[in-house]
């Protein structure tokens, strides 16, 4: 039996599947820190240092998701035709380049307008890099552990992603405070390169052969699950874009702790309950997790104290944690293996749609009625997502 064939044999137990997924989780964590480090830093940098208003902050934060959305098709095609490993490698290098572009906006001493333009360029490059990185990593993980453990693969990739967000946000804020925006950008540029070194020890898998469906045919097969995911993502995106400014408007401290609280509860929920989507089915799990998201966002909207806002972040993180793999398990069942990369690209694109809508919509709400109603907007979107899930067809 060849080494490659052996690597692709489905694991016989959940424990073996987890063992195979851990190196992927570390790799994605390091690469995705390029997304996590600037999350709490960029809104403050654009608003306080460059002097732009909430609407511009919203567009800066949304621009990465828009770029990722526009390139998910490309990421799926590269993954399905060239293989998961090349897609991940190119994605990592682009993430590093994006961080260097961030740094150039301050290292070159640019005026605010040019610095803002460079930030938009960096966000666009990061969007393409994230598209290749996450689409390739998800397909690589599922190919390594087999379709039986699709949910577990999504759980561990998600743990890495949101661990990087939850840990990266306060780390980025600390780097900004101590050494400035350029230091944060330099750290974000180096970490994906470390992930590339780790990638050498992970066995590649060959692309699947066979007739492939068109990308938009794949979208048509999974759109009910993707639409639910997009709506449930609006609240998460609104929180990350405006939590720091909401804390500042209330004269509270500790906004990075809110992001860390979200990330910690997100990771904890996946570690404890990560097997449920595979065991119980995604629809049943999503019917519990999406109402938790609504509850967390309502708590944030009404919070009179920072400790209560912190609790809202935790509840939101626990709810959003399993929504992604729950709906993803259902989506992947509807496509053949040779379209797995396209399916992952299309499915994750709905996260981009949700985040792309969250920034501008929340920015408009914040500009007219203040920051707390931003979280009410997210709660309403999640409530609509719950209605969608209730109407999903039985498997």
């Amino acid at each position: 039996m060849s080494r490659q064939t052996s690597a692709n044999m489905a694991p016989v137990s959940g424990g073996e599947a987890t063992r195979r997924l851990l190196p992927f989780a570390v790799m994605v964590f390091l690469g995705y820190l390029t997304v996590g480090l600037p999350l709490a830093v960029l809104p403050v940098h654009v608003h306080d240092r460059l002097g732009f208003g909430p609407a511009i902050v919203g567009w800066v934060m949304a621009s990465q998701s828009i770029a990722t959305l526009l390139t998910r098709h490309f990421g799926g095609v590269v993954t399905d035709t060239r293989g998961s490993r090349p897609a991940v490698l190119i994605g990592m290098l682009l993430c590093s380049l994006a961080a260097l572009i961030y740094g150039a906006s301050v290292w070159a001493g640019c005026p605010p307008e040019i610095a803002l333009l460079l930030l938009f360029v960096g966000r666009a490059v990061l969007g393409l890099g994230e598209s290749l990185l996450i689409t390739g990593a998800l397909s690589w993980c599922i190919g390594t552990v087999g379709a039986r453990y699709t949910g577990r693969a999504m759980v561990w990739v998600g743990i890495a992603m949101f661990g990087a967000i939850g840990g990266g946000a306060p780390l980025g804020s600390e780097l900004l405070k101590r050494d400035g925006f350029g230091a944060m950008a330099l750290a974000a540029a180096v970490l994906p390169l470390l992930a590339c070194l780790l990638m050498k020890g992970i066995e590649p898998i060959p692309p699947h052969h066979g007739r492939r469906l068109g990308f938009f045919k794949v979208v048509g097969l999974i759109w009910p699950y993707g639409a639910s995911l997009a709506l449930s993502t609006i609240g998460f995106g609104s929180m990350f874009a405006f939590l720091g400014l909401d804390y500042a408007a209330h004269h509270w401290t500790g906004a990075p702790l809110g992001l860390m609280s979200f990330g910690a509860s997100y990771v904890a929920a996946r570690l404890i309950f990560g097997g449920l989507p595979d065991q119980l089915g995604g629809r049943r799990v999503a019917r519990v997790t999406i109402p938790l998201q609504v509850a967390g966002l309502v708590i944030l909207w009404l919070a009179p104290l920072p400790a209560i806002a912190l609790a809202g972040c935790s509840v939101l993180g626990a709810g959003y944690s399993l929504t992604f793999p729950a709906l993803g398990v259902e989506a992947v069942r509807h496509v053949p293996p040779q379209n797995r990369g396209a399916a992952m690209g299309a499915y994750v694109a709905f996260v981009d749609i949700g985040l792309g809508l969250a920034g501008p919509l929340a920015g408009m709400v914040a500009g007219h009625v203040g920051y707390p109603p931003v979280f009410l907007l997210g709660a309403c979107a999640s409530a609509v997502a719950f209605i969608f899930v209730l109407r999903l067809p039985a498997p």
Side-chain angles (χ1 to χ4, degrees):
M1 180 180 292
S2 71
R3 183 183 176 195
Q4 192 174 63
T5 301
S6 176
N8 290 323
M9 288 179 62
V12 295
S13 68
E16 171 64 13
T18 298
R19 187 192 66 77
R20 294 191 188 187
L21 291 168
L22 286 177
F24 290 99
V26 176
M27 177 186 72
V28 172
F29 174 79
L30 289 173
Y32 213 77
L33 277 170
T34 304
V35 177
L37 284 171
L39 267 180
V41 171
L42 275 173
V44 175
H45 179 70
V46 172
H47 187 272
D48 294 349
R49 176 167 178 170
L50 300 185
F52 295 99
I56 297 298
V57 171
W59 279 109
V60 169
M61 300 308 291
S63 58
Q64 176 200 332
S65 298
I66 294 170
T68 309
L69 171 64
L70 295 176
T71 56
R72 287 294 184 193
H73 180 197
F74 176 73
V77 169
V78 171
T79 299
D80 285 334
T81 58
R82 301 295 181 88
S84 302
R85 185 171 183 162
V88 172
L89 176 61
I90 296 169
M92 292 287 190
L93 295 176
L94 286 171
C95 288
S96 180
L97 174 61
L100 292 175
I101 296 173
Y102 288 168
S105 71
V106 294
W107 296 329
C110 301
E113 292 78 10
I114 301 300
L116 181 67
L117 177 61
L118 285 172
L119 290 179
F120 274 117
V121 172
R123 298 294 279 173
V125 173
L126 183 61
L128 174 58
E130 183 195 352
S131 180
L132 288 160
L133 166 59
I134 298 304
T135 303
L138 282 168
S139 182
W140 198 350
C141 286
I142 296 171
T144 297
V145 299
R148 175 185 176 189
Y149 295 106
T150 292
R152 193 178 297 260
M154 291 185 174
V155 161
W156 279 99
V157 171
I159 286 174
M161 290 170 60
F162 287 94
I165 288 173
L171 178 58
S173 295
E174 187 63 26
L175 285 170
L176 178 70
K177 187 186 305 181
R178 293 183 56 182
D179 301 306
F181 187 79
M184 182 281 299
L186 183 60
V190 170
L191 289 165
L193 302 180
L194 297 179
C196 290
L197 296 177
L198 178 63
M199 196 187 309
K200 292 181 178 180
I202 302 177
E203 192 72 36
I205 60 172
H208 281 278
H209 298 290
R211 180 177 175 272
R212 293 184 172 88
L213 302 174
F215 183 75
F216 291 103
K217 176 67 173 176
V218 173
V219 173
L221 293 173
I222 70 168
W223 81 265
Y225 313 98
S228 303
L229 180 66
L231 287 164
S232 66
T233 299
I234 288 176
F236 152 67
S238 300
M239 185 209 71
F240 267 90
F242 288 99
L243 184 69
L245 296 176
D246 178 60
Y247 265 60
H250 282 94
H251 305 291
W252 296 341
T253 58
L257 291 178
L259 300 178
M260 182 183 293
S261 174
F262 173 94
S265 63
Y266 182 102
V267 171
R270 287 205 166 184
L271 287 173
I272 297 169
F273 303 110
L276 292 183
D278 289 327
Q279 296 168 11
L280 303 179
R283 291 166 68 250
R284 293 177 65 184
V285 173
R287 289 178 179 183
V288 175
T289 59
I290 294 178
L292 277 177
Q293 294 176 223
V294 175
L297 288 161
V298 169
I299 292 170
L300 276 171
W301 169 44
L302 299 175
L305 299 169
I308 296 177
L310 196 70
C313 292
S314 294
V315 174
L316 176 59
Y320 189 72
S321 177
L322 295 182
T323 298
F324 179 85
L327 295 172
V329 164
E330 302 295 332
V332 169
R333 288 175 180 168
H334 289 74
V335 296
Q338 62 267 27
N339 281 99
R340 188 176 290 138
M344 288 295 94
Y347 179 67
V348 181
F350 284 98
V351 175
D352 307 324
I353 292 172
L355 292 176
L357 290 171
L361 288 176
M364 287 190 294
V365 169
H368 285 87
V369 292
Y371 295 112
V374 163
F375 309 124
L376 176 60
L377 168 71
C380 292
S382 293
V384 176
F386 182 62
I387 295 172
F388 268 58
V389 168
L390 292 178
R391 297 172 61 89
L392 287 175

